[in-house]
DNA sequence: TAGATTGTTAATCGATTAACAATC
DNA sequence: TAGATTGTTAATCGATTAACAATC
C-alpha cells in the first residue's frame, strides 16, 4: 500500500483537460453540481469511465443523488494536472510556429510560463517577442543552467532539433515538447512529447477516407 | 471476406509516419533493405508490432533473411497514408498559429495543399500569405462550396471555433483539423481531429513529475 | 545446408464497459 | 421511503507481446 500517489493512464490524462473545459463551461452557466452521467453525455463518453477518472483526481467522494461539486472538481483537476503552480519553460526557434506559441497567452492557464527564447538568426537575437527576450542559440546550455528551467519547447527545423534538444538537456532540462517533424533520440531520464503533425494528419485523412 | 480494405488501428496510424521518417533516413544513407528488427530497434518499438504494421500496408511480403525493400515500403506507406495524392484544404484564422501553419511549407509532403485562407480581420482580407489569399470569414460557406474543398483547418480563438466549423461544414467540408482550445460538437458524418495542446502538455508535465 | 527473418497463432496486458450492491 | 447516483467487482474488448513453424 506504499503507492498512495494515484497514477493516471495516458488515456485518462488526455480526458482530464476535456473535463476541465466542460466543468468550467458549466460553472459559467451557474451550475453547482454535476453527475458523471451529465459529464459523460456532454462529452460523449462512457459514464463509468468518467466516474473512474473523477474518482482518481477528486479529493472528495461524489455523493449519491447529488454527484460532484463543480468548483471542487475544477480545483482538483487543476491541481492534479499541475495547472495551479506555474513551471518555467524556454522556447528554441522563434520562426513561424515558435513565435505563434510565444504570442499565445493561453499557456499561463496551463501552468506554463515561457521565460526565455532562443534563435540562431542574428536579426532576432536581443529582440523581445511578447515580452520574452530572444537569446543567441549558442548560449542555450549556459542560460538554461543559470535559470534552472526544466522544460524546453523545440520549434526549430528538423535538421537542428536533435542538436538543440541535447543542448537543452546539457543545461538541465528534463522535459522536451518537440514540434519539429522528427523523433528525438534522448535518454530515458528525459520526458519527451512529440507533437507529430504528420501523424495527426494521417489519422484525420484516414477518417475522412472512411466517411467519403 | 468482403473487407479486403485493410483498416489500421489508431495506434498503428500514429506509428506509420514514424516508419516513414525512419525509412527515408535509411534510404538517404544508401540502405536498400530493412528488417522489422532494424526498424524496431531504430524506433524503440517491438519487432512483432512493426512486422504487423508493415504487413498491413506493404504491397509486397517481406522476404525471410532479407526483410523489406526500403523504397517499396516508402512508396506503400506514402500511398496508404494518402501522402501521394494531394488534398485541398482551407484554413480559417490567420493569426499567430494560422499564419505559422500557412508559412510552413512541409504540408505538401503530407498531401495537404492549402488553397485558401479566411479571417475576420479586415486588415488581412485580400492579402496573400505564402501565396495563399485571405478571404473574408463571412464568405466561408460559399467559397468552400465553390472550390469543393473537403478539409478545413480551424485556427480561430476558442469562442469562434464552433461557429466557424459549422460554416465550413455547410460549405461541404467533411474533415476538420481543430487547433482552437475547445472540443467541437459536430455531426458524426464529419471527421474531427482536435489538436489539444492542453492535453499534450498534461502528459508531458506528468511525465516530468515522475522523473524529477 | 544453416540461420536470419518472416507471418501467424496463442498468451498477456491494460483499458473500457457492464452489472450491481451501497448510500445519500 | 424511493430512486438517482455513487464506487467496485467482473466481463469484454482490443492491442501488444511471446512463441513458433514456414521459408528464402
Amino acid at each position: 500500500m506504499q503507492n498512495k500517489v494515484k497514477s493516471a493512464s495516458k488515456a485518462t490524462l488526455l480526458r482530464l483537460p476535456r473535463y476541465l473545459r466542460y466543468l468550467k463551461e458549466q460553472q459559467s452557466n451557474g451550475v453547482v453540481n454535476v453527475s458523471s452521467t451529465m459529464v459523460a453525455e456532454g462529452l460523449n463518453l462512457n459514464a463509468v469511465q468518467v466516474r473512474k477518472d473523477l474518482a482518481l483526481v477528486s479529493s472528495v467522494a461524489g455523493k449519491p443523488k447529488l454527484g460532484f461539486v463543480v468548483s471542487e472538481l475544477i480545483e482538483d483537476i487543476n491541481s492534479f494536472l499541475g495547472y495551479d503552480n506555474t513551471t518555467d519553460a524556454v522556447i528554441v526557434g522563434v520562426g513561424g510556429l515558435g513565435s505563434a506559441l510565444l504570442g499565445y497567452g493561453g499557456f499561463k492557464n496551463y501552468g506554463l510560463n515561457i521565460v526565455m527564447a532562443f534563435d540562431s538568426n542574428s536579426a532576432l537575437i536581443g529582440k523581445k517577442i511578447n515580452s520574452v527576450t530572444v537569446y543567441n542559440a549558442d548560449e542555450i546550455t549556459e542560460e538554461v543552467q543559470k535559470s534552472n528551467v526544466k522544460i524546453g519547447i523545440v520549434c526549430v527545423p528538423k535538421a537542428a532539433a536533435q542538436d538543440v534538444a541535447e543542448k537543452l538537456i546539457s543545461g538541465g532540462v528534463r522535459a522536451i515538447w518537440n514540434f519539429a517533424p522528427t523523433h528525438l533520440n534522448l535518454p530515458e531520464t528525459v520526458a519527451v512529447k512529440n507533437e507529430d503533425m504528420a501523424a495527426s494528419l494521417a489519422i484525420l485523412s484516414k477518417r475522412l477516407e472512411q466517411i467519403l
Side-chain angles (χ1 to χ4, degrees), chain A:
Chain A
M1 285 299 121
Q2 270 281 34
N3 196 14
K4 254 293 179 206
V5 182
K6 306 139 182 173
S7 74
S9 74
K10 207 170 158 182
T12 298
L13 241 26
L14 283 168
R15 283 190 296 268
L16 289 174
R18 300 188 55 194
Y19 297 145
L20 200 51
R21 279 195 211 103
Y22 176 81
L23 292 168
K24 282 183 181 166
E25 201 185 310
Q26 295 304 306
Q27 191 177 47
S28 74
N29 292 340
V31 175
V32 176
N33 288 285
V34 284
S35 69
S36 50
T37 325
M38 271 178 69
V39 177
E41 275 171 12
L43 296 174
N44 259 308
L45 296 170
N46 179 291
V48 180
Q49 192 175 59
V50 173
R51 228 172 293 146
K52 283 201 170 162
D53 287 342
L54 295 186
L56 190 75
V57 297
S58 180
S59 56
V60 182
K63 291 202 181 69
K65 185 105 172 161
L66 267 178
F68 297 83
V69 179
V70 174
S71 61
E72 284 176 358
L73 223 37
I74 290 178
E75 214 170 299
D76 286 338
I77 299 178
N78 266 324
S79 125
F80 188 88
L81 292 177
Y83 289 178
D84 54 352
N85 57 352
T86 61
T87 312
D88 288 346
V90 300
I91 191 166
V92 186
V94 201
L97 184 60
S99 54
L101 292 178
L102 263 182
Y104 174 54
F107 286 133
K108 285 169 213 139
N109 302 324
Y110 305 138
L112 194 76
N113 183 32
I114 301 175
V115 292
M116 212 182 273
F118 297 93
D119 206 292
S120 56
N121 180 349
S122 57
L124 292 169
I125 296 167
K127 286 206 169 174
K128 281 199 171 200
I129 300 180
N130 208 29
S131 75
V132 173
T133 306
V134 180
Y135 291 83
N136 189 324
D138 291 341
E139 297 163 14
I140 292 178
T141 305
E142 52 181 297
E143 288 295 335
V144 165
Q145 201 151 33
K146 256 196 258 175
S147 54
N148 198 31
V149 168
K150 294 293 174 226
I151 297 186
I153 307 173
V154 176
C155 296
V156 298
K158 194 172 156 174
Q162 178 70 33
D163 181 54
V164 160
E166 286 169 8
K167 280 184 186 157
L168 286 166
I169 293 167
S170 303
V173 158
R174 303 300 295 278
I176 290 196
W177 202 5
N178 176 35
F179 287 84
T182 181
H183 272 254
L184 303 172
N185 239 320
L186 300 174
E188 299 268 318
T189 52
V190 176
V192 184
K193 180 82 185 76
N194 291 293
E195 219 52 60
D196 193 332
M197 298 291 167
S200 286
L201 190 57
I203 288 178
L204 183 66
S205 59
K206 269 293 151 188
R207 274 201 232 138
L208 177 61
E209 215 173 82
Q210 281 156 19
I211 284 172
L212 288 182

